[in-house]
Amino acid sequence: MKSRSSISSASPNVTTGITEKGCRGSRGSRYPIHGWPLTDEPFDRSRFARKHEEEVLGVSITVSSPEDTILAKLKWAKASGGSEKQFMDALRVYEVQFGKLDISYIEEWAAALGVEQEYIRLTKEAETIPEDDSQPS
């Protein structure tokens, strides 16, 4: 298994990753790791500025925020002619992270990226449970 630093040096434009094919779980299963090229576009600069560190299987990796993952997936879905896989990935992130998302950030960038219709569809199809502040975390 390659370390994050060896991947970063081999692929300097990929902002996340453990190996080229994913990371191996304790029982030999693979978990896919997706990366997006970093460009000088305003969205990529914003996405990169909002990245944060997470620990996965004892390895620290840099990951995009949930909002940026949703937007990147919607952008990819549209660019690929309506990929349902990318749309469903964005939808699941939205559902799991709902209540913690910066909705105004998503709406602003959805308009800027030209994925407003995809975002509207996502919000209509999402099955969300409002966060209840009275429940212990």
Side-chain angles (χ1 to χ4, degrees):
M1 180 183 306
K2 289 188 177 184
S3 71
R4 182 174 63 111
S5 61
S6 66
I7 297 246
S8 296
S9 62
S11 306
N13 291 332
V14 175
T15 60
T16 186
I18 294 178
T19 71
E20 290 85 356
K21 295 182 180 179
C23 60
R24 187 170 299 281
S26 61
R27 295 186 180 175
S29 61
R30 289 204 174 268
Y31 304 96
I33 304 296
H34 300 278
W36 290 278
L38 180 62
T39 69
D40 199 33
E41 295 296 319
F43 174 63
D44 282 344
R45 288 194 310 264
S46 175
R47 180 173 57 90
F48 188 74
R50 293 167 46 89
K51 72 187 184 321
H52 63 276
E53 296 289 318
E54 293 282 338
E55 188 169 312
V56 178
L57 301 173
V59 176
S60 179
I61 61 171
T62 303
V63 297
S64 292
S65 71
E67 295 88 352
D68 292 321
T69 299
I70 290 165
L71 289 161
K73 292 282 189 176
L74 291 177
K75 185 178 169 190
W76 191 356
K78 183 176 182 176
S80 63
S83 168
E84 277 300 301
K85 177 179 181 349
Q86 298 307 320
F87 177 82
M88 294 305 292
D89 286 352
L91 178 64
R92 296 301 172 239
V93 173
Y94 182 86
E95 290 174 332
V96 169
Q97 296 294 327
F98 187 78
K100 300 174 187 170
L101 295 170
D102 182 344
I103 298 300
S104 61
Y105 177 86
I106 296 173
E107 290 172 346
E108 177 184 328
W109 278 107
L113 295 170
V115 294
E116 290 170 295
Q117 292 305 310
E118 291 77 5
Y119 179 65
I120 290 168
R121 176 183 165 207
L122 180 142
T123 61
K124 288 180 179 178
E125 292 185 22
E127 296 179 16
T128 58
I129 300 171
E131 193 170 285
D132 183 356
D133 291 333
S134 66
Q135 298 291 329
S137 305

